[in-house]
Structure formats: structure tokens, C-alpha cells
Amino acid sequence: MANQPIFILPEGTERYSKRDALRMNITAAKVLAGIVRTTLGPKGMDKMLVSGMGDITITNDGATIMREMDIAQPAARMLVETAKKQEEIVGDGTTSVVVIAGELLAKAEELLEDGIATSVVVKGFRNATSKAVEILNEIAIDADDKETLQKVAVTAMSGKGSDYAKEHLAELVVDAALRIEEDGESDIDNINIQRVSGDSVEDSFLAEGIVIDKTPLSKNMPEVVEDAKIAIMKYPIELKDINTSTKIDITSPDQFAAFLDNEEEMIKDLVNQIVDSGANVLFCQKGIDDLAEHYLKKAGIMAFKRVKKSDMERIEKATGAKLVTDIEDLSEDKLGYAGKVYLEKLFDHKLTFIEECENPKASSIVLRGSTRYVTEQIARALDDALGVVAATIEEGKVLIGGGACEIDLVKELRDYGESVSGREQLAILKYAEALEVIPRTLIENAGLDTINLIADLKAAHEDSNAIGINVFTGEVVDMKDAGVIEPLRVKVQALQSAGEAAEMILRIDDMIAARNALNSTGADESGNDDSGMPPMPGMGGMGGMGGMPPMM
């Protein structure tokens, strides 16, 4: 009995302890960072993502890349969630978060190999993050004019497929954000990007109001309504389906005719309530019966059915209409107003425009492009630009880009590290060294001389903290004069998120999982998958992407 083994975990469970678990997690983070690192900056490369259905996405947007990849390794998935949260909070900086977190873990691995305790590394990184945020707030400059907002938008879109039209697009983004600004905040959920293939990106424009991808129910309905009184409803203009267990006794043709007449009267009553409210334009989130369509057309009402919830919310914000969930509540005071609602054909696409609203708090950008792939890629760039512009409007502070603020952080953090005693100093110095990864990556992706340019940047920062790298000319220049500006909130959130993610991974000293949880890439017991490629040792692979081999 004394030598009998005791099993507390079910058969098939895999356990990796201490250094093995840490090594696997750090390796996974470095692999993920390596995948997205080449996309960073204006000279970053694109990734082609192919889904299991054969759909192709070409992008260098970090959030899109990580969202489309099927990542199985738990630590890598944690980093993906961190990047998604970065996207939700500030709208940009997802690639930077993963790259910085991966570099922090690589530096932490060096410290651990030198015998530094994990707790010391974690404490040093935590203190360094707090100090870095403090430094960023000190060096931030005010963003108090439209020109600065446009520079922020241009910087966010650089290298994302829209360089040849980024000035024009930046102007559209800033105008849209300022149009819906309220009490120092700009809710970009109230700005929709309507993509239309055909013509060039330069033909994109900011609509005077809301644009929805819907056409009226019937060609015989009005295509233009002046002085529009708009009703928005979440109530079906149709009869409810009869329950399958309902029994209707009809014994004669007269009874059947009466039944149909009764249905018709009910539909007519619903339409009459809309007419009586004074509405001449109807947007319904639910269905509209064919008979109701006939009566609406006869009353001269422009009607739309199955309108998306997001569009309904924007119409409500733009026109002042109140969403009605019960037709009995529809009245004149629930109607919204627009000077003009009309249907227009752009290239081969029909859109409905709602314009001349009195105090619109929603807007639309109509994005043009030669193909669907072009408009999809540029729409992602516009999303990023809208996010950073909104963050700048709310925060009112920006930082100098082009690697300038990171080099300044490296300099200040090294000075701070020298003032700290004990082994914690080593962790702070490694943290500072890790932040060099951003300017270093910008230089590498531009195909420039990394060693000399990093040295030039550090030397130039002895005199000015606004010096960064111009990746187009390969020179160190004043990035404030060059107009390369980034929101303070994006940088702060990126550092905090990367630091927290790195700390979370470093504190894991035991990894216990069912075999299938770590081998979710289709690998068999020998560790080989269908592609014949073995997964990374001890990692179970990084997952596949729509049937593609696991990324190594």
C-alpha cells in the first residue's frame, strides 16, 4: 500500500509544471508576437487570411488577424483577448499590445534564466509600467484643434491600404466625429461606414445625414419624400402566425370569405394607425405583410422592413424619432424629422439617404473603392481612425509618434531603474529595453539600418523628445513637425494591457489540461496533424486558420 500510486487527475490529463509551463507559455506569446510584428507601421506587410469557406481577407490590422486565426494555445489566446479589449476600449494599438507583451516575456525569460525570482520580475515590471504611464502623461501635449485630430487620423491609417487617400479620409473621419460630439464625447457607434464598390477611394464622402443599405418595399412607393415625418417601429405590420394547435372550423365558403375579410380589416387598421399618426416614412425592424405594403403604397408612405437594429438606433439619433414597440403607442410626438429622404443609386448599389436633420447625433461615411477587398481593408483603417479620433476628443492629449515616445520612455525608465536598489532594478532595466521593440520594428519593417538608426534616435533624444524615425526617408526627424501624432489613451492602454498580460502569464507555474485541450489542431497521438507538420514542442500548436496548417 505504501508504494501504490495515487491518481487525482483523470486519465489523459496533461500537466506541465514550473519551468516547463512557463517556457511553453512564453514561447507561445513570442510566436504570436512574431506573426503580427511584421504588420506594424506604415511599411508593415499584409497577411492573407483564408477561411474554411474559402473567403479571403487581406489585412495588416492586428485585431482582424488575431480574430480570424484559430488559436488553441491558452497563453496565446489570453494575448488575443487582451488585444480585443484594446480594440474595444480605444480602437487601435492591438498590434503594439501583442508585440510589447511578447517582448516583455522574452526579457523576463532572460531574467529567469539568470536566477531572478518570478515575483521580483513581476514587481519590477509592475513598477516600470506605473512609471511609464506617469512619464507619458508628463510628455503628452494638448490636442485642441481640428488640425491635430486630422494628424491623429492620418497616423492611424498609415500603412493600412489607404495611404494614397488618407488625407481625404482623415478629413471625413474628423468631420463625422465632430458632428456627433456631445459634452466632450464622440460615440463612434453612431457613425456607420457604408461600403460601395466602384469608383476610387477619393470619391468617398460624408453624407449629410444617415445612409442605410435598404430600399423601399415597392418600386411604386415614393423614391423621394420631402419634409419627412419618420416613424420607427419594432412591431410587425402583419398578422401573427396561427399556432399549429389552433383549430378553426369553417363549414361554408361564406365563412371562409368572412375570415379573409376579417384579416384584411385587421391589416387595414394597423396601416390606418400609421397614417393617422402623420408619418410619411416608416422604418420597421420587423416584417410587413404584402397586403399592408399595398395599403402603405396607396397612402403614399415610403416603407422599409427588416431594418437592422443598429440602423434603427442611428435613425433614432439622427431624426429624433422614438422607437415604438406597440403600434397603439404610435403618435405624432413619437415621429422624427428629416428635410429629405430619398433613394439613390451609386454604381450598381441602391442606398437610402436621410438628410437635412435638425440636430443629428449620428452620421454616415460612404466609402468607395474599386473592389470589395479594397473597401473592406480601408473600412478597417477608418474604424481605427474613428476610434483614435474619438479617444483624442475625449482625452484631449496626444503623444509624438514614429517611435519618439518609446525612445523617451527607454531613456527615462533607465534613469528610474538606476535609482532602484536590489534585483528589481534588473527587471526595470529589462522593461525599458523591451520598449525599444516598437521603434526597432518600425525600422526593420521599412528595411532600414536598425543599429545605426536606433543609436541616432537615442543621441537625438538628448536634445529633443520629439525626434522619431521617418520610415519613408530613413532619417531621424522631428515627428511633431512631420505630423505623426498618436492619442495618449492608446499608448497608456497598450502599456497597461501588455504589462498585465505579461504578469498574468509569468505567474503561471502549473498547467493542467485535458489532452484534447492542448491538441485541438487535429493532431493525433503521435503529435502530427493532417499537414504532416508536428506542433511546437509542448504547446499543442498555435491552432489552424480555416483548415490551414497550424502556424509555427
Side-chain angles (χ1 to χ4, degrees), residues 286-427:
K286 302 291 185 178
I288 297 179
D289 189 270
D290 289 344
L291 187 58
E293 176 188 324
H294 167 73
Y295 287 123
L296 288 168
K297 177 177 62 179
K298 193 174 180 181
I301 295 175
M302 179 190 282
F304 304 80
K305 68 177 181 179
R306 308 289 182 195
V307 181
K308 292 186 295 185
K309 181 182 177 182
S310 57
D311 284 337
M312 296 288 279
E313 291 171 350
R314 293 187 186 103
I315 294 169
E316 185 175 8
K317 291 277 188 180
T319 66
K322 302 299 181 185
L323 181 65
V324 174
T325 56
D326 188 337
I327 197 167
E328 298 293 336
D329 297 332
L330 183 62
S331 58
E332 187 176 357
D333 63 325
K334 300 289 179 64
L335 303 181
Y337 175 81
K340 187 178 182 181
V341 178
Y342 63 97
L343 187 69
E344 183 172 330
K345 186 175 182 179
L346 296 178
F347 199 61
D348 60 350
H349 205 73
K350 289 185 177 181
L351 300 171
T352 297
F353 289 73
I354 307 168
E355 295 185 345
E356 299 175 22
C357 304
E358 292 178 350
N359 187 27
K361 293 302 175 186
S363 191
S364 297
I365 296 174
V366 179
L367 176 62
R368 309 300 301 273
S370 57
T371 67
R372 175 172 63 87
Y373 299 114
V374 171
T375 56
E376 283 179 355
Q377 185 176 21
I378 297 178
R380 286 188 287 269
L382 284 180
D383 280 333
D384 290 345
L386 284 168
V388 297
V389 167
T392 305
I393 289 173
E394 294 170 18
E395 189 85 21
K397 296 284 185 179
V398 293
L399 295 165
I400 310 301
C405 67
E406 284 85 4
I407 290 295
D408 210 41
L409 280 176
V410 171
K411 177 176 174 290
E412 296 292 335
L413 285 173
R414 280 179 175 159
D415 292 341
Y416 169 65
E418 295 294 342
S419 68
V420 176
S421 59
R423 293 190 168 192
E424 186 183 328
Q425 178 191 96
L426 300 176

Side-chain angles (χ1 to χ4, degrees), residues 188-209:
I188 60 172
D189 288 338
N190 294 324
I191 301 173
N192 72 313
I193 300 171
Q194 191 64 58
R195 303 194 301 266
V196 180
S197 298
D199 289 331
S200 66
V201 178
E202 287 89 344
D203 295 315
S204 303
F205 61 92
L206 175 64
E208 291 299 319

Side-chain angles (χ1 to χ4, degrees), residues 406-459:
E406 284 85 4
I407 290 295
D408 210 41
L409 280 176
V410 171
K411 177 176 174 290
E412 296 292 335
L413 285 173
R414 280 179 175 159
D415 292 341
Y416 169 65
E418 295 294 342
S419 68
V420 176
S421 59
R423 293 190 168 192
E424 186 183 328
Q425 178 191 96
L426 300 176
I428 294 172
L429 293 177
K430 284 292 185 182
Y431 184 100
E433 188 178 327
L435 294 185
E436 282 188 19
V437 70
I438 298 298
R440 192 178 298 277
T441 301
L442 292 174
I443 295 168
E444 288 174 358
N445 289 348
L448 302 173
D449 185 346
T450 307
I451 296 175
N452 288 333
L453 282 175
I454 289 290
D456 291 344
L457 276 174
K458 291 178 179 177

Side-chain angles (χ1 to χ4, degrees), residues 46-64:
D46 293 345
K47 305 290 183 183
M48 177 182 282
L49 310 173
V50 185
S51 72
M53 301 296 292
D55 293 331
I56 298 172
T57 301
I58 300 174
T59 182
N60 65 1
D61 179 66
T64 303

Side-chain angles (χ1 to χ4, degrees), residues 22-23 25-31 33-34 37 79 98-114 121 125 427 430-431 433-435 437 498 501-503 505-506:
L22 192 57
R23 178 185 61 83
N25 290 336
I26 290 177
T27 302
K30 291 194 295 185
V31 169
R37 182 174 174 175
L79 280 186
V98 176
V99 170
I100 292 172
E103 193 69 12
L104 286 175
L105 289 168
K107 299 302 179 184
E109 190 174 31
E110 296 175 10
L111 291 169
L112 295 174
E113 288 175 354
D114 290 339
V121 176
F125 280 8
K430 284 292 185 182
Y431 184 100
E433 188 178 327
L435 294 185
V437 70
E503 178 181 338
I505 290 173
L506 288 173

